């Protein structure tokens, strides 16, 4: 005889979703499986059914201990359970990816397929892109079509809710460590604006000036000033002021009891061992660093913004971000059900490579690796010509004969971000690979693409007044029907 339908469902659920479950989810599933075993015994079910249920129960107990490092005890939910130790597993082959460091020895950049497996996220496949297109009635953004946003958590759940006329909100952020942002910083904001436009939903943008004060040798005054300056660049991306709230942590934490209360809830449910494991903190790190992850988690919960959501705590959040920020939100997703909130969904982007090559992401701390949003057309041209890593051959003769490698060429990588025409991009790829297009010619194409893009951004930024910034950063009711 075969196991009962409920038992089969439990086995399937175990096989498919065990890796995605939080400790409290594991506990709930274990409890339910224990009930299944007792029920089968009480019904005097066939021995094969009971044995199969018991074996599954034992396997689930092993998984529970592996995740929580605690033995399962009926009636005793996990307390301060240990979230998977990302920091110790941060090196996958030669790739290192965490919120502060991104590096690889591969000229092609980070192996994102491996990163999906290691982080336990889901690949954004053609089916999901097609579904977004169908639901929104808009052509999918080229960041989606080209795999620049390549990974997700629970995006199908967001779309299910949206199809049922249940809205959501967007949350992304910026760590303001300097006055000038670089072109790589634009990527999440360009995509977030597209999401806001096509789904017509509100957005919160967190400026983590407190984080930069804790991590950098900067004064609080400088960190806040950088936050305001960065806000001008963000606003210049074209966000709807009626649907967007931008906030500085140094400001908002002191003026919003609801936000701070959610921070404290997260803090209570994450231990020092957990943050050490996830983020690699040591005993010599200041206590501000140890508690900061809870501050980045809090905007994931709609209750942190009572002025926007009228006190509702059941509006789900979607977070577009680079994948190096994922450890913060895996922690958040683990904590959320234990404090009565919905897990945030995520969309992850690849990294914008440094001019010298994709072995690391672009960094504002190295001006030669970076194209700033304040750079002049001449500076853009000089930086690309002098520093952009080439996938071409050493001589024109060899390049014409053997062709270049667009997969490692930084100019081509940048074009995948900023050149919107798919057919033109593919022709450039083919011409460069065949040798018909030389490296110098490819760099010229990038220069002609970036110069007007950055000039247009600079022009828009000129019109962002201090009063306009203040409006965006004032807590208020947004144009949102929840």
């Amino acid at each position: 005889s075969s196991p009962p339908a409920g038992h089969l469902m439990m086995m399937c659920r175990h096989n498919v979703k065990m890796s995605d479950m939080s400790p409290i989810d594991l506990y709930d599933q274990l409890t339910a499986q224990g009930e299944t075993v007792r029920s089968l015994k009480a019904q005097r079910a066939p021995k094969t059914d009971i044995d199969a249920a018991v074996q599954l129960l034992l396997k689930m107990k092993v998984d529970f201990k592996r995740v929580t490092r605690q033995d399962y005890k009926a009636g005793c939910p996990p307390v301060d359970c240990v979230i998977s130790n990302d920091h110790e597993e941060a090196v996958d082959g030669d790739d290192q990816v965490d919120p502060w460091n991104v590096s690889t020895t591969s000229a092609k950049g980070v192996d994102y397929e491996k990163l999906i497996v290691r982080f336990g996220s889901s690949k954004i496949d053609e089916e999901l892109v097609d579904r977004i297109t169908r639901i929104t009635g808009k052509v999918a953004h080229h960041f989606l079509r080209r795999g620049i946003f390549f990974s997700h958590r629970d995006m199908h759940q967001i779309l299910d809710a949206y199809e049922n006329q249940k809205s959501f909100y967007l949350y992304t952020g910026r760590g303001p460590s300097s006055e000038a942002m670089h072109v790589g910083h634009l990527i999440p904001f360009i995509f977030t604006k597209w999401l806001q436009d096509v789904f017509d939903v509100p957005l919160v943008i967190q400026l983590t000036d407190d984080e930069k004060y804790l991590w950098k040798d900067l004064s609080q005054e400088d960190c806040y000033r950088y936050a305001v300056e960065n806000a001008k660049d963000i606003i210049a991306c074209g966000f709807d002021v009626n649907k967007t709230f931008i906030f500085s942590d140094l400001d908002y934490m002191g003026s919003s009891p609801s936000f701070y209360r959610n921070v404290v809830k997260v803090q209570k449910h994450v231990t020092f061992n957990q943050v050490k494991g996830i983020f690699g903190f040591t005993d010599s790190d200041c206590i501000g660093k140890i508690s900061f992850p809870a501050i980045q988690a809090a905007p994931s919960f709609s209750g942190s913004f009572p002025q926007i959501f009228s006190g509702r705590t059941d509006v789900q959040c979607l977070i577009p971000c680079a994948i190096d920020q994922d450890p913060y939100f895996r922690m958040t997703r683990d904590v959320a059900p234990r404090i009565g909130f919905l897990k945030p969904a995520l969309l992850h982007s690849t990294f914008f490579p440094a001019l010298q090559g994709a072995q690391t992401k672009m960094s504002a701390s190295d001006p030669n690796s970076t194209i700033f949003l304040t750079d002049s057309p001449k500076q853009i041209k000089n930086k690309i010509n002098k520093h952009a890593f080439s996938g071409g051959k050493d001589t024109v003769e060899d390049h014409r004969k053997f062709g270049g490698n667009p997969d490692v060429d930084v100019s081509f990588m940048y074009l995948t971000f900023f050149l919107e025409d798919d057919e033109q991009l593919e022709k450039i790829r083919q011409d460069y690979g065949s040798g018909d297009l030389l490296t110098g010619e490819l760099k010229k194409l990038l220069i002609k693409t970036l110069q007007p893009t950055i000039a247009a951004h600079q022009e828009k930024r000129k019109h962002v007044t201090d009063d306009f910034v203040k409006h965006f950063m004032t807590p208020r009711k947004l144009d949102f029907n929840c």
Side-chain angles (χ1 to χ4, degrees):
S1 63
S2 59
H7 179 55
L8 280 173
M9 190 179 298
M10 179 65 72
M11 287 192 288
C12 292
R13 191 182 298 131
H14 176 82
N15 291 333
V16 174
K17 294 186 177 180
M18 185 61 71
S19 62
D20 294 335
M21 290 183 187
S22 69
I24 196 68
D25 290 335
L26 287 173
Y27 171 80
D28 291 341
Q29 295 292 343
L30 256 171
T31 301
Q33 185 63 11
E35 289 295 331
T36 298
V37 170
R38 282 188 288 276
S39 176
L40 289 171
K41 288 180 177 179
Q43 296 169 13
R44 300 196 179 193
K47 186 175 183 300
T48 53
D49 290 359
I50 295 173
D51 288 346
V54 170
Q55 288 301 313
L56 179 56
L57 180 67
L58 293 174
K59 186 178 188 311
M60 293 172 76
K61 285 183 177 181
V62 171
D63 287 335
F64 181 85
K65 186 167 185 177
R66 175 177 54 78
V67 172
T68 68
R69 300 182 191 175
Q70 300 173 30
D71 289 321
Y72 170 77
K73 294 180 181 178
C76 298
V79 178
D80 290 333
C81 44
V82 179
I83 304 170
S84 59
N85 190 327
D86 291 322
H87 188 75
E88 289 180 0
E89 299 173 358
V91 178
D92 190 359
D94 292 317
D95 292 356
Q96 180 177 353
V97 177
D98 63 44
W100 303 281
N101 301 288
V102 175
S103 64
T104 177
T105 59
S106 171
K108 292 182 179 181
V110 170
D111 188 328
Y112 293 105
E113 295 288 343
K114 286 185 178 179
L115 206 58
I116 286 173
V117 173
R118 195 178 87 214
F119 281 8
S121 59
S122 300
K123 185 176 181 177
I124 295 177
D125 55 18
E126 189 175 343
E127 179 187 352
L128 179 56
V129 176
D130 289 345
R131 187 181 181 200
I132 292 172
T133 300
R134 185 174 67 255
I135 288 174
T136 62
K138 305 289 184 182
V139 176
H141 196 279
H142 67 275
F143 287 178
L144 282 173
R145 301 196 306 268
R146 297 174 189 170
I148 291 170
F149 274 80
F150 71 100
S151 166
H152 75 98
R153 296 185 187 278
D154 289 345
M155 187 59 190
H156 281 294
Q157 184 177 314
I158 289 283
L159 296 177
D160 289 344
Y162 187 78
E163 284 188 305
N164 290 313
Q165 285 75 52
K166 188 174 182 181
S167 195
F168 61 93
Y169 73 100
L170 297 164
Y171 156 40
T172 193
R174 161 84 185 121
S177 57
S178 63
E179 282 191 30
M181 290 168 56
H182 61 60
V183 287
H185 292 143
L186 284 181
I187 303 307
F189 294 110
I190 291 171
F191 187 62
T192 300
K193 181 191 181 300
W194 181 82
L195 289 170
Q196 183 184 57
D197 289 345
V198 299
F199 286 103
D200 191 25
V201 290
L203 161 68
V204 297
I205 299 174
Q206 181 182 43
L207 301 173
T208 55
D209 41 10
D210 53 344
E211 176 199 20
K212 294 308 173 186
Y213 174 68
L214 294 168
W215 262 266
K216 304 279 187 179
D217 185 19
L218 297 168
S219 68
Q220 282 192 8
E221 290 74 20
D222 279 344
C223 291
Y224 180 74
R225 180 166 56 85
Y226 295 157
V228 173
E229 290 302 312
N230 286 187
K232 293 178 181 178
D233 276 312
I234 294 168
I235 292 167
C237 292
F239 290 108
D240 185 345
V241 68
N242 297 312
K243 293 184 171 66
T244 306
F245 173 47
I246 302 174
F247 65 98
S248 144
D249 283 344
L250 290 175
D251 262 356
Y252 192 59
M253 277 276 287
S255 63
S256 175
S258 297
F259 187 91
Y260 182 62
R261 285 169 183 164
N262 284 344
V263 169
V264 173
K265 285 180 182 178
V266 176
Q267 288 173 338
K268 183 172 182 177
H269 289 81
V270 181
T271 67
F272 181 42
N273 280 337
Q274 286 176 293
V275 293
K276 281 199 299 184
I278 299 168
F279 302 104
F281 298 144
T282 68
D283 292 346
S284 60
D285 279 310
C286 72
I287 59 175
K289 290 183 179 181
I290 296 159
S291 62
F292 173 76
I295 298 173
Q296 187 156 323
S300 306
F301 311 129
S302 60
S304 296
F305 306 100
Q307 72 278 10
I308 300 174
F309 302 106
S310 303
R312 284 186 55 178
T313 61
D314 61 343
V315 183
Q316 191 167 13
C317 176
L318 174 61
I319 307 170
C321 62
I323 195 156
D324 58 344
Q325 297 300 300
D326 189 65
Y328 283 110
F329 300 114
R330 291 213 298 287
M331 180 202 79
T332 305
R333 283 167 57 84
D334 183 271
V335 169
R338 289 187 280 144
I339 57 177
F341 294 143
L342 297 172
K343 294 180 181 181
L346 287 101
L347 291 168
H348 301 122
S349 75
T350 59
F351 303 115
F352 195 85
L355 279 166
Q356 285 80 1
Q359 287 88 348
T360 186
K361 66 178 181 177
M362 185 174 278
S363 170
S365 62
D366 181 0
N368 290 326
S369 78
T370 304
I371 296 174
F372 290 104
L373 298 179
T374 53
D375 282 349
S376 67
K378 184 178 180 180
Q379 286 174 312
I380 295 168
K381 178 180 178 180
N382 289 341
K383 285 183 178 182
I384 291 171
N385 283 331
K386 185 175 182 180
H387 298 294
F389 183 80
S390 167
K393 298 298 185 287
D394 292 335
T395 66
V396 171
E397 182 181 7
D398 282 350
H399 188 89
R400 293 292 191 199
K401 184 176 181 180
F402 301 108
N405 184 356
D407 292 334
V408 302
D409 191 285
V410 164
S411 294
F412 183 79
M413 291 179 186
Y414 284 16
L415 285 171
T416 65
F417 284 88
F418 287 103
L419 185 64
E420 294 190 19
D421 189 317
D422 290 338
E423 290 184 7
Q424 186 182 359
L425 184 69
E426 182 55 31
K427 187 175 189 309
I428 292 170
R429 173 189 281 279
Q430 292 178 4
D431 288 350
Y432 192 64
S434 69
D436 289 343
L437 187 70
L438 298 175
T439 295
E441 294 169 333
L442 179 58
K443 287 185 176 184
K444 283 183 181 178
L445 288 171
L446 175 62
I447 292 165
K448 288 182 179 179
T449 301
L450 272 187
Q451 282 178 334
T453 298
I454 293 176
H457 179 87
Q458 291 169 352
E459 185 62 28
K460 291 175 184 174
R461 192 186 191 281
K462 287 180 186 176
H463 300 287
V464 180
T465 64
D466 289 340
D467 285 343
F468 201 36
V469 173
K470 185 177 180 181
H471 188 27
F472 268 95
M473 298 184 70
T474 299
R476 67 202 187 281
K477 177 71 176 173
L478 297 182
D479 183 8
F480 172 62
N481 295 319
C482 64

